[in-house]
Amino acid sequence: MRIIGIRHIPVVVPFRDAEQWPPGRRGLVSVLIEIDTDEGITGIGEAPAHPSADIVLAVLRSVERFAIGEDPFRTERIARLGEVVGTWHAVGTTSPALAAIDMACWDIVGKACGQPLVNLFGGALREDVEYLHQIPPGPPDRMRDLAALGAAAGSESFHVQVGADLDTDVERVAAVRDGIGPGRSIRVDAGEAWSPATALRALRALAPYGIEFAGQPVSARNIPEMARLRAHTGTPLLAGPLCRAQQLEVIRHGAADAISADNALDGGLLNLKRSAGICQAAGLPIVKHSLGELGVATCAAAHLIAATPGFDHANQSYRALLSDDVLEGGPLPHRNGRLRIPDAPGIGVELDRDRLARYAELHQTAGEEFEPGL
């Protein structure tokens, strides 16, 4: 089997509410890809628009030549061609574009074998995967109401962005705790917004609300400071999203209680499994980070999470914020905040051509309005 072509479709799916989340973004921008083979099997993949759709598309155009003509079963070879011959290894990072090609190749492999990806990644350890219920920042009363709705729908784990002024952060987290009641978990994410001194004050002020993890409270580049913060606060720290080399440094410094990883930021699905292996060896849990994913990328990673030890906490997802999706059947069905692993071959989802066309047109006409920072 050989790859004969790659098509890419940038789309934007609006969020449910008018609030901008993250700041400056009113919806989720992704680049969908389809990889065609000479045997008539087509694989689908997805790249979050990080740092923008234009950059993802430029990278796809620059690296797709390394995939054309290759056997899609040779996922490691295709990844190495993109990283080494494509020189991405030289800049010490990778692009979601490479991860999308990897994802689509795995979809082809699963379809060719007649197996869901979970069986190719080691077989199911769990039948479903838990996701955080995102509460977008806003007035505390509004956040309380949204949290209560999520709890009523069965979600057990909630995600709150912090990093505004401390009083506002405390009011918002207190409102979410009031909305969900005791017993359910709250994970806060500062996104590197705090200085070390501010982080210590903030985590002490938030401690009464039972924080499960505080995500990246200080700069990810300041690992020794992260370790010092961990030594002086009782709130468990979540480091990331980190690639594998960064994970090793965090582990060496004892700088976190858990690690966040993302296949879109680290080259592909098997690298996420490798990250879990590193964490397992260090005795740390791992959670899946999201740059903002639609159903294709969410389901692809869910297969791997279901087949991999260490994913014992809720993973990040934007599904609570999305108004729709590009999949047949619309948004993914979650039950009690959990997604059941698809049992069809490959990733197990199909694109809805009408939805895809609608949100591709929206990207053409208003895409820049949805990009981060605009």
Side-chain angles (χ1 to χ4, degrees):
M1 187 186 297
R2 298 291 168 184
I3 294 171
I4 59 173
I6 301 177
R7 290 167 283 140
H8 14 83
I9 311 102
V11 299
V12 58
V13 176
F15 290 147
R16 289 180 181 275
D17 296 316
E19 296 105 328
Q20 296 186 357
W21 167 254
R25 205 164 81 172
R26 299 187 293 115
L28 197 154
V29 185
S30 278
V31 178
L32 279 300
I33 73 166
E34 294 181 285
I35 293 184
D36 297 319
T37 67
D38 60 357
E39 295 189 11
I41 298 175
T42 296
I44 56 177
E46 180 188 342
H50 178 77
S52 72
D54 284 345
I55 291 175
V56 169
L57 289 166
V59 175
L60 280 168
R61 295 185 185 104
S62 74
V63 300
E64 62 186 10
R65 68 185 188 277
F66 302 121
I68 302 295
E70 293 290 332
D71 181 349
F73 276 71
R74 301 180 73 179
T75 58
E76 295 280 18
R77 171 179 165 81
I78 294 169
R80 290 291 290 170
L81 286 171
E83 291 173 1
V84 178
V85 182
T87 71
W88 278 94
H89 73 295
V91 295
T93 186
T94 185
S95 166
L98 278 74
I101 292 172
D102 172 83
M103 187 182 298
C105 286
W106 276 109
D107 190 37
I108 292 168
V109 171
K111 289 173 177 174
C113 295
Q115 293 291 324
L117 290 189
V118 66
N119 289 348
L120 304 183
F121 291 145
L125 294 173
R126 51 186 73 85
E127 299 301 321
D128 54 27
V129 174
E130 184 183 8
Y131 290 92
L132 293 164
H133 189 95
Q134 295 264 14
I135 306 297
D141 288 346
R142 171 69 169 158
M143 295 178 70
R144 180 186 295 108
D145 292 344
L146 291 173
L149 288 172
S155 292
E156 294 290 335
S157 303
F158 294 78
H159 181 277
V160 180
Q161 192 77 21
V162 292
D165 66 272
L166 183 53
D167 289 342
T168 300
D169 287 338
V170 171
E171 288 178 9
R172 287 172 170 175
V173 172
V176 170
R177 174 55 72 196
D178 187 44
I180 66 175
R184 292 180 169 88
S185 69
I186 296 176
R187 189 179 306 171
V188 299
D189 185 356
E192 304 181 286
W194 291 325
S195 68
T198 300
L200 184 58
R201 290 196 303 273
L203 294 181
R204 286 175 174 171
L206 294 172
Y209 304 103
I211 305 303
E212 176 205 33
F213 291 119
Q216 205 55 59
V218 298
S219 171
R221 293 167 294 282
N222 196 343
I223 295 174
E225 199 58 61
M226 188 86 163
R228 281 191 286 272
L229 178 63
R230 181 172 178 246
H232 289 89
T233 180
T235 299
L237 302 187
L238 174 67
L242 303 175
C243 67
R244 285 156 292 151
Q246 294 169 316
Q247 291 160 19
L248 288 173
E249 285 302 301
V250 167
I251 290 166
R252 289 189 185 107
H253 284 82
D257 299 276
I259 283 176
S260 171
D262 193 329
N263 51 290
L265 288 172
D266 204 12
L269 290 165
L270 282 187
N271 285 345
L272 181 59
K273 196 171 184 75
R274 292 180 177 112
S275 291
I278 292 171
C279 292
Q280 184 179 29
L284 295 180
I286 183 171
V287 300
K288 167 72 171 66
H289 173 266
S290 176
L291 288 169
E293 295 167 327
L294 297 172
V296 174
T298 297
C299 283
H303 281 282
L304 188 136
I305 292 168
T308 305
F311 286 94
D312 300 322
H313 298 266
N315 302 280
Q316 191 177 9
S317 167
Y318 282 69
R319 55 99 187 170
L321 305 182
L322 288 168
S323 63
D324 201 359
D325 210 310
V326 294
L327 301 181
E328 287 186 356
L332 293 170
H334 286 70
R335 182 180 176 85
N336 297 329
R338 294 177 175 272
L339 174 66
R340 189 168 182 83
I341 307 306
D343 55 10
I347 297 173
V349 298
E350 297 293 337
L351 297 173
D352 182 315
R353 295 295 164 178
D354 290 337
R355 284 184 165 96
L356 187 65
R358 183 188 316 149
Y359 296 123
E361 182 180 0
L362 181 59
H363 185 270
Q364 288 181 338
T365 58
E368 288 188 357
E369 297 178 18
F370 292 87
E371 293 280 6
L374 296 177

